Amino acid sequence: MTTTAPLGTREEKRAFYKRTLRITLPIALQNLMDAAVNSADVIMLSFVSQSALAASSLAGQIAFVLFNLIYGISSGGAVLGAQYWGKGDRRTVERALGISLRTAILIGAVFAAAALAAPGALMRIFTDDPALIAEGIVYLRSVAPSYVLGAFASVYLAVMRSVGRVKTSALIHCSAVIMNVVLNACFIFGFGPFPQLGIFGVGLATSITRLIEVAICVWDGSRCREVRLRLRDLLAKGGSLMRDFINFSIPAAANDIVWGLAFSIYSVILGHLSSDIVAANSVASVVRNLGTAFCFGTASSASIILGNVMGENRLAEARVYARRFVWLAVWTALAGGVIILLCRPVVLDFMHLYVTVTDVVKHELNLMLYINAYYIMGMSLNTMLICGLFRAGGDVKYGLIMDTFAMWGYAVPVGLLCAFVLKLPEMWVYFILCLDEFVKLPANIWHYKKMKWIRNITREQVE
């Protein structure tokens, strides 16, 4: 961020928050649109059956794990992109984009092959309910192509955001989301010439949407003046830049997959308790995503701005900006909690009047929304610190270590113990699982205060 005003003055602060808002709003809009399409899926599938709703939630954990892995891969490309863009080295950003896309395509292809070849085996990981397994198999076979296409689009848009093209990224993604909602409705209910396909239609709509989104990304990349998408960069070896990408992306990807797999284990635990709590959790997750949209958008904004500033070697300014972003994480979390509480009566009234679910689902959903209203404070701060601040300076290994300890050293074993050994009530199990963010928060704050993560990772690159 270039400003002639001295650091700490009113003019400089105004310029900082103005730029932060300009970057955050489009990203938050993308997060809101993602939450909206999930909401639309939940609403429309609830009219089909409770089994379809629960099965889509469980089968969706495959995509959840994949895109946590892809998010880590895109983080490697975005870290390099943001710092080299700050340095003014556009060509290196293009090469980092090519390396990131090639890696994402390969990973997406592996997940797609698994979903097509063994959908039943994948569903049995999450549940032993035959009805849910049958519905999940249908969904996985239709959604499998979107794993490759979505991996490409996600990485492309992430790198574009890292160089400041947040409006273009938001426009492409939000257009795709709107298309997905429309196609979902057409395929679920059979509007007009479209066949009524139920849960199969949800996966098919996602695959079609992702195909169109990739086509738009390729078209945009071929004409973009800032960063050009080149075929030769997709195929090139990468040299020292590839080594840097591996050093940053593999720990970040491992961090996100450790976190994502643990969250999937949460679904496994809930899935083996009852279909009621699975259905309630699928709705609660959507409402939580609405509340965290701006929190996560602010964290993404922090990684972009701090990455640019560190790439310019303005490390003293990065320290000041980091403190501001931490406070923004607190305030956005408070706002998100209020949003969840305001949504609670609306969601419960809708479930009562229009959706065919049991009274147990409604009761558990009510409690889950209260829990999530404060849970997002931990999520917001930890996401800001680990994914926003630390990754902006290339400190990706710390997050891997911390999430491995918090999720697999505490949350997963304690959750399994409470659910299947102590056999605690379902909502007590859910409450205990939701303590994971607060277990790791003190250590994250301590690591932040050391400020060793603030560094310039750029160097002269030779093709």
Side-chain angles (χ1 to χ4, degrees), residues 322-356:
R323 285 194 292 271
R324 294 175 185 174
F325 277 119
V326 170
W327 280 108
L328 283 174
V330 173
W331 289 111
T332 54
L334 290 173
V338 171
I339 289 172
I340 290 176
L341 293 177
L342 291 175
C343 288
R344 188 188 65 84
V346 177
V347 172
L348 292 175
D349 286 345
F350 178 86
M351 297 289 286
H352 177 71
L353 294 173
Y354 300 107
V355 181
T356 306

Side-chain angles (χ1 to χ4, degrees), residues 155 227 233 274 276 286 389 393 395 405 424:
V155 169
V227 177
D233 290 331
S274 74
D276 288 329
V286 170
L389 274 56
D395 185 357
F405 165 76
L424 295 182

Side-chain angles (χ1 to χ4, degrees), residues 69 72-77 103 107 242-258 391 396-397 400:
L69 182 55
I73 295 299
S74 65
S75 293
T103 306
I107 293 172
M242 172 61 86
R243 291 192 292 273
D244 288 341
F245 172 78
I246 291 172
N247 288 335
F248 296 131
S249 64
I250 288 184
N255 182 184
D256 290 326
I257 203 67
V258 161
R391 287 189 184 181
V396 293
K397 294 180 180 178
L400 171 60

Side-chain angles (χ1 to χ4, degrees), residues 44-258:
M44 288 184 280
L45 282 171
S46 66
F47 285 101
V48 177
S49 70
Q50 182 172 319
S51 293
L53 175 61
S56 67
S57 175
L58 292 177
Q61 294 303 310
I62 306 298
F64 179 73
V65 172
L66 168 62
F67 285 103
N68 272 287
L69 182 55
I70 294 300
Y71 181 71
I73 295 299
S74 65
S75 293
V79 165
L80 293 170
Q83 289 225 8
Y84 279 102
W85 185 256
K87 186 180 181 180
D89 188 349
R90 185 181 72 174
R91 181 66 193 120
T92 299
V93 177
E94 292 176 341
R95 294 173 59 214
L97 172 62
I99 293 171
S100 303
L101 287 174
R102 181 173 70 230
T103 306
I105 291 170
L106 291 173
I107 293 172
V110 171
F111 274 75
L116 289 171
L122 292 176
M123 283 302 300
R124 290 185 188 92
I125 296 173
F126 301 102
T127 182
D128 53 7
D129 188 322
L132 298 187
I133 293 172
E135 293 276 17
I137 289 173
V138 172
Y139 175 79
L140 285 173
R141 284 177 173 160
S142 63
V143 82
S146 74
Y147 294 163
V148 181
L149 300 168
F152 181 100
S154 297
V155 169
Y156 177 82
L157 296 177
V159 176
M160 290 299 108
R161 287 195 297 269
S162 74
V163 301
R165 299 188 71 221
V166 289
K167 292 182 180 178
T168 299
S169 176
L171 179 62
I172 293 172
H173 186 68
C174 291
S175 299
V177 167
I178 293 171
M179 182 186 305
N180 197 3
V181 173
V182 173
L183 287 176
N184 277 346
C186 291
F187 284 125
I188 289 175
F189 301 113
F191 292 146
F194 293 90
Q196 186 174 355
L197 300 176
I199 193 172
F200 182 85
V202 176
L204 181 61
T206 301
S207 295
I208 293 173
T209 300
R210 288 297 197 180
L211 177 62
I212 296 173
E213 186 178 20
V214 167
I216 295 173
C217 289
V218 171
W219 173 80
D220 177 72
S222 67
R223 59 183 292 276
C224 177
R225 293 181 179 179
E226 289 89 349
V227 177
R228 188 66 60 88
L229 176 61
R230 306 174 192 273
L231 180 61
R232 65 188 176 102
D233 290 331
L234 286 169
L235 304 175
K237 293 181 178 180
S240 61
L241 184 64
M242 172 61 86
R243 291 192 292 273
D244 288 341
F245 172 78
I246 291 172
N247 288 335
F248 296 131
S249 64
I250 288 184
N255 182 184
D256 290 326
I257 203 67
V258 161

